[in-house]
Amino acid sequence: MANRRLTQRLIDTLKPGRSVREIRDTELRGFGVRILSSGRKSYFVHAQSNGRRVWTKVGDAGAMPLVDARKLARSHLAARREGDPSPSVEASAETPFEDVAEAAFRRHARLWKPGTLAVNRNYLKNQILPRFGGQRIGAITCADVQQWFASLRSTPAAADRAAPVLSVIMREAETLGHRPEDSNPCVNIRRYRRRGRERFLSREETRRLGEALARHDGHVLAAAVRLLLLTGCRKSEIMTLQWRDFRDGHLFLRDGKTGPRTVWLSTAARSILESLPRTGAWVFPGRDGKASVQGLKHFWVKLRDEAGLQDVRLHDLRHTYASLALQAGETVLVIGRLLGHSDPDTTLKYIHLADRTVRDAVDAVAPVLGGEGRR
């Protein structure tokens, strides 16, 4: 947002950009002009009212001379200072949805990782803009959002992931003053209940996977798969490892999905790393040594076919690590730390494993408590 003394010549020559532009007047504090990506220009005033930021449209800059807009702005600002809510003034809520979406993505480009940013842009393009593109941001209601969400019932996974992106955009609209505070129409969305995709290897399946891996001893990708199973790390965290990340018997991930974290290694995991040759910066180097090795997905498909585990994904090794830790007596809180979860709720999907462990324990002691053990 720029600060300049507004003149009629400046107003007439302002050009639209790819997103909303705003210029505040240095002569009259709180007064400015907004240029939409469509080229439309409007005057606005920005003031505090009852502890809240209020943006108010003064008039269309294409039809109202600047001198008249500045006079009207002065009266609006004076009314605000005197506590008059000025209900006759049209709220500045006409900004197109896509302009606010771009502003939200620019702000979150610093917060989201590149991969997350790319995925969220896909949801914006494919699920959100076809419904809300071109609409006025202030006119979108809870009913509109509920109808949109219901229209995506045939793709529940996409709906569940697109809804938080829409919510971020709506929160940005409040921050920019295009919507009243606490007016997010996404707050009451209830996500679809989907059948969990978690797959946990049994001890027998883990043994078969181990036998298949043994047939590929010496292959760099076999070592990567072993490390995935022994650490519970995400694929990206293992495949981007550099030797500087491995020291003092730990992995120090500089840029994990949830930020930097330390991975505690078992003796077996350390042995795998210590057996690998250090030929460059990468733990699992590609042929030229300038990047990490590629082809893990193809190798995994071949490996799981050999082990008779055709329905198992690489990510299921992470779930298996968690299930084995739970069976060994670790708490859900500890497992969350082992997996690098930033949100405890993420770890709660493993709670059904704890329930199963308790149920098995009850079944084991029931005969004794019922007197069957004295027969």
Side-chain angles (χ1 to χ4, degrees):
M1 183 180 295
N3 293 319
R4 297 179 63 179
R5 181 180 180 278
L6 294 181
T7 64
Q8 189 63 58
R9 177 180 176 82
L10 175 63
I11 298 296
D12 294 339
T13 56
L14 287 173
K15 303 296 182 184
R18 295 179 59 184
S19 58
V20 177
R21 294 175 58 200
E22 290 176 349
I23 299 177
R24 292 191 180 184
D25 187 23
T26 55
E27 180 178 318
L28 178 60
R29 185 176 180 181
F31 174 56
V33 64
R34 178 180 292 121
I35 309 97
L36 304 184
S37 57
S38 63
R40 187 175 181 181
K41 307 169 189 176
S42 59
Y43 297 112
F44 67 86
V45 291
H46 175 224
Q48 292 288 122
S49 178
N50 297 322
R52 298 172 57 185
R53 288 179 297 176
V54 178
W55 295 69
T56 305
K57 179 182 176 182
V58 173
D60 187 340
M64 180 183 291
L66 173 62
V67 62
D68 294 339
R70 189 176 272 120
K71 289 180 181 177
L72 190 56
R74 280 197 175 93
S75 64
H76 289 331
L77 290 169
R80 287 291 178 190
R81 286 192 293 271
E82 295 169 5
D84 180 3
S86 301
S88 62
V89 180
E90 179 185 354
S92 178
E94 65 174 16
T95 303
F97 172 86
E98 54 268 33
D99 288 337
V100 181
E102 278 304 312
F105 270 72
R106 283 199 308 273
R107 179 192 295 267
H108 284 76
R110 303 188 301 271
L111 307 175
W112 290 334
K113 292 184 179 296
T116 302
L117 183 64
V119 169
N120 287 348
R121 276 206 174 275
N122 282 335
Y123 288 123
L124 174 66
K125 176 183 177 182
N126 298 320
Q127 276 76 37
I128 299 175
L129 283 178
R131 173 64 177 82
F132 297 109
Q135 292 195 32
R136 292 181 297 120
I137 191 69
I140 298 173
T141 65
C142 290
D144 294 330
V145 173
Q146 292 288 354
Q147 291 172 7
W148 163 76
F149 195 67
S151 72
L152 298 175
R153 65 172 63 90
S154 61
T155 54
D160 285 349
R161 295 190 177 189
V165 178
L166 178 59
S167 184
V168 165
I169 295 169
M170 290 302 178
R171 288 200 303 270
E172 184 71 9
E174 293 183 24
T175 299
L176 295 176
H178 302 312
R179 292 180 63 93
E181 292 183 9
D182 301 322
S183 68
N184 191 335
C186 304
V187 293
N188 293 321
I189 287 182
R190 298 185 63 180
R191 295 192 178 190
Y192 289 101
R193 303 181 87 180
R194 293 176 285 135
R195 184 178 178 181
R197 296 187 62 197
E198 290 80 13
R199 171 75 157 82
F200 307 89
L201 296 183
S202 66
R203 293 186 182 276
E204 169 61 20
E205 290 172 330
T206 303
R207 182 189 62 78
R208 287 177 4 222
L209 177 60
E211 291 176 349
L213 283 166
R215 292 192 288 272
H216 295 275
D217 272 347
H219 196 301
V220 65
L221 290 176
V225 172
R226 288 184 186 277
L227 204 57
L228 284 169
L229 186 58
L230 289 169
T231 62
C233 285
R234 301 173 179 88
K235 180 182 71 173
S236 60
E237 293 171 339
I238 292 299
M239 298 313 296
T240 57
L241 273 181
Q242 297 188 32
W243 284 115
R244 61 176 174 167
D245 303 326
F246 174 47
R247 58 187 184 275
D248 301 326
H250 303 85
L251 294 180
F252 297 91
L253 303 181
R254 291 165 285 109
D255 194 28
K257 182 179 180 180
T258 57
R261 71 182 180 98
T262 300
V263 178
W264 295 73
L265 299 176
S266 64
T267 301
R270 290 197 301 270
S271 296
I272 290 174
L273 288 165
E274 290 166 355
S275 69
L276 295 173
R278 300 200 179 200
T279 57
W282 300 94
V283 174
F284 300 106
R287 290 184 178 180
D288 60 3
K290 296 181 180 179
S292 59
V293 66
Q294 302 296 311
L296 179 61
K297 183 176 180 180
H298 178 76
F299 177 80
W300 172 250
V301 170
K302 178 181 178 181
L303 186 69
R304 72 181 186 183
D305 287 347
E306 292 179 10
L309 303 171
Q310 285 81 359
D311 65 329
V312 178
R313 305 166 301 158
L314 260 177
H315 197 69
D316 292 328
L317 300 184
R318 179 170 164 85
H319 300 318
T320 299
Y321 176 82
S323 69
L324 292 174
L326 190 57
Q327 292 173 39
E330 299 297 346
T331 65
V332 172
L333 179 61
V334 169
I335 291 171
R337 291 190 62 190
L338 289 172
L339 297 179
H341 288 160
S342 59
D343 185 352
D345 288 343
T346 306
T347 318
L348 291 179
K349 65 184 177 184
Y350 297 109
I351 200 66
H352 67 282
L353 289 173
D355 292 341
R356 184 187 310 164
T357 301
V358 172
R359 186 170 61 250
D360 291 344
V362 170
D363 291 339
V365 300
V368 177
L369 296 176
E372 298 178 24
R374 294 193 296 270
R375 293 179 184 175

